[in-house]
Amino acid sequence: MKHLRTIPLTAAVSALVPGTMLAARPDKAPEPAENPDHINFVLINLDDAGLGDFSYTGAVNYKTPNIDRLAGEGMRFTNFYAVQPISGASRAGLLTGCYPNRIGFAHAPSPGCPYGINDSEETIAEVLKKRDYATAIFGKWHLGDAEKFLPLQHGFDRWYGLPYSNDMWPFHPQWDFPDLPTYEGNTVLGYNLDQSPLTTEYTRRSVEFIRENKDRPFFLYLAHSMPHVPLAVSDKFKGKSGQGLYGDVMMELDWSVGEVMQTLEELGLDRNTLVIFTSDNGPWIAYGNHAGSTAGLREAKATTFNGGLRVPFIAYWKGRIPEGTVCNSLASNIDILPTFASLAGAPLPDHKIDGLSMVPMLENPDTDPVRAELALYYQDNSLEAITDGTYKLIFPHPYLGYGMPGNDGKPGKMVNLKVEECELYDMRRDPGERYNIISQQPEVAKRLNEAADRYRRDLGDDLTGHEGNGRRKPGYR
């Protein structure tokens, strides 16, 4: 594939952000930026999309040409993890750059939950506000539903969407919640609406926001509600795929990406806009033909096996990120906030965060990894696994495994299972976590367990009885 001529991201930052401390490499002179005043950020986050749900990763009976184009003309990461395998915690981590359990998030909060994001935490939007960014979220929030927890109280200028997952209402066969109020300034969709227009409406508003803010720096968080169940699709894509409703939904999400990209290109913003495409966790395969594909990884959403945590990640920035490249280094969605902050020249929060800037890897996918390991927590505050990107050590823990899947929107059977003893897997040769090699690599297991002990002291661990001394409280109503 032909590669674009690129300049280092450090040089791009120096050109785009006056006064930044980052400098260009001395052997390469920076090219002039199309808009020397700022860098824009577009973050597209799908809900429950699997690693195998796109044409470029093996999807069948439907095509995702716009997402494929992002992958082909940008950089895709093969070893990228959601920080937790459930949406509320994952999104809390993404938006704050912190392990969710550091800031009091352990689950996916449901309507009326007494806790949410603390006022003392800083979201990506609040960090970028320090550089005078226009900010908007269209789609799912999931960091609390009291007014004090909502997007406009945490750095966003505009919001239209759902405070929780789209199944947390009477449309889901196992839930029954009342309508939520509409708070002043935050457009909270009612809980009895037809979901079929959601993807289109989020997209329309996103395009409108880009057009309105084309002459100033902006951060757009397009947080789709799909393909989380219950699935819904607009008439323009209904019945268009060869994989039923799920394929139709994926085709519409791909269309959405295309609309955003077309707008950036039409306005000449693609050369000073970093576009990130990812998912909040793995697919919910209990829903059978209404669920996505893990691409052969073990288990799925709501487990710390790779099927629940490894998610797609594509970074696209025309003329800046090398075209058609692949990064195999370990990274996580908690690394997005410090990456944006670094590129925007915005100061990080004063309190401790856990994310690390991916700028060196975006500039050169073969550079040394910025992250030494990632702790994998779930179920309140249980450290269930840890990975250094090459190996993954799994600790004894109970979990709900997947039995016979459901069909046509009804969930299948879940099975109580347990990891009885520590398991070690080679992520290079066995990302499906099928062959336990702990007897062959005891020193690796020892090293990873020592790293895990550092997290236990800092963040705690219910499995071993550690409280942790670095945890902060969430906000309360």
Side-chain angles (χ1 to χ4, degrees), residues 85-106:
I86 199 76
S87 57
S90 174
R91 289 162 191 263
L94 180 153
L95 282 168
T96 64
C98 297
Y99 281 107
N101 46 322
R102 182 179 297 286
I103 62 172
F105 274 77

Side-chain angles (χ1 to χ4, degrees), residues 371-439:
R371 175 169 290 286
E373 70 273 323
L374 184 70
L376 305 175
Y377 279 86
Y378 189 48
Q379 300 185 78
D380 292 329
N381 198 44
S382 297
L383 180 55
E384 296 184 352
I386 188 169
T387 181
D388 63 3
T390 301
Y391 295 95
K392 182 176 176 184
L393 181 63
I394 298 174
F395 301 108
H397 69 273
Y399 66 96
L400 274 179
Y402 289 83
M404 181 62 67
N407 201 45
D408 294 339
K410 300 293 184 180
K413 183 180 180 181
M414 304 297 290
V415 183
N416 288 308
L417 298 172
K418 187 175 183 179
V419 176
E420 298 288 352
E421 297 179 346
C422 286
E423 301 172 356
L424 181 70
Y425 296 96
D426 185 336
M427 296 291 94
R428 298 166 299 178
R429 300 176 178 88
D430 181 26
E433 299 165 293
R434 290 170 174 82
Y435 306 104
N436 182 7
I437 59 167
I438 196 165
S439 63

Side-chain angles (χ1 to χ4, degrees), residues 143-400:
L143 272 69
D145 74 337
E147 184 172 7
K148 65 188 291 187
F149 303 143
L150 292 176
L152 268 63
Q153 284 67 45
H154 292 276
F156 287 94
D157 301 322
R158 193 179 306 178
W159 176 43
Y160 174 92
L162 304 176
Y164 293 103
S165 296
N166 60 324
D167 66 329
M168 292 179 172
W169 53 16
F171 289 148
H172 191 282
Q174 296 175 331
W175 295 83
D176 185 15
F177 288 113
D179 289 351
L180 291 177
T182 298
Y183 297 107
E184 182 178 356
N186 291 281
T187 305
V188 183
L189 297 182
Y191 267 39
N192 289 306
L193 84 166
D194 174 12
Q195 295 191 45
S196 60
L198 280 184
T199 298
T200 294
E201 189 62 19
Y202 294 163
T203 306
R204 184 188 69 79
R205 290 172 182 264
S206 295
V207 167
E208 181 181 84
F209 174 78
I210 292 171
R211 293 188 182 280
E212 289 177 358
N213 294 280
K214 61 184 176 61
D215 296 321
R216 63 170 297 186
F218 65 79
F219 165 48
L220 167 63
Y221 180 32
L222 177 49
H224 278 295
S225 296
M226 301 292 159
H228 193 295
V229 292
L231 299 178
V233 71
S234 68
D235 289 340
K236 62 183 176 290
F237 286 97
K238 189 176 296 182
K240 298 297 184 182
S241 80
Q243 202 188 107
L245 183 55
Y246 193 86
D248 299 347
V249 167
M250 292 305 300
M251 288 179 66
E252 185 163 31
L253 290 167
D254 180 76
W255 164 83
S256 173
V257 171
E259 290 294 296
V260 170
M261 296 307 300
Q262 180 180 326
T263 303
L264 293 174
E265 292 164 4
E266 175 190 327
L267 298 175
L269 298 174
D270 50 340
R271 287 186 176 271
N272 67 304
T273 302
L274 172 60
V275 179
I276 297 296
F277 175 85
T278 189
S279 178
D280 63 351
N281 46 248
W284 206 353
I285 60 174
Y287 284 85
N289 64 346
H290 280 205
S293 165
T294 66
L297 300 177
R298 183 177 176 182
E299 293 292 349
K301 171 181 174 174
T303 75
T304 48
F305 300 107
N306 279 357
L309 287 170
R310 274 209 188 180
V311 293
F313 184 88
I314 302 169
Y316 173 91
W317 187 0
K318 187 173 182 179
R320 302 291 184 263
I321 290 178
E323 179 183 340
T325 47
V326 176
C327 182
N328 298 315
S329 296
L330 177 66
S332 170
N333 58 358
I334 59 175
D335 299 327
I336 293 174
L337 181 149
T339 301
F340 286 5
S342 176
L343 291 170
L348 291 172
D350 291 334
H351 52 239
K352 181 175 181 178
I353 69 168
D354 302 290
L356 301 169
S357 173
M358 295 184 287
V359 167
M361 297 188 295
L362 294 178
E363 180 179 323
N364 176 9
D366 298 321
T367 195
D368 291 337
V370 299
R371 175 169 290 286
E373 70 273 323
L374 184 70
L376 305 175
Y377 279 86
Y378 189 48
Q379 300 185 78
D380 292 329
N381 198 44
S382 297
L383 180 55
E384 296 184 352
I386 188 169
T387 181
D388 63 3
T390 301
Y391 295 95
K392 182 176 176 184
L393 181 63
I394 298 174
F395 301 108
H397 69 273
Y399 66 96
L400 274 179

Side-chain angles (χ1 to χ4, degrees), residues 434-465:
R434 290 170 174 82
Y435 306 104
N436 182 7
I437 59 167
I438 196 165
S439 63
Q440 299 175 5
Q441 300 283 355
E443 291 304 312
V444 171
K446 179 181 178 183
R447 173 174 57 81
L448 287 175
N449 192 52
E450 289 172 349
D453 280 338
R454 295 196 298 272
Y455 288 97
R456 293 179 179 118
R457 289 190 293 271
D458 185 18
L459 296 175
D461 177 19
D462 291 348
L463 295 172
T464 56

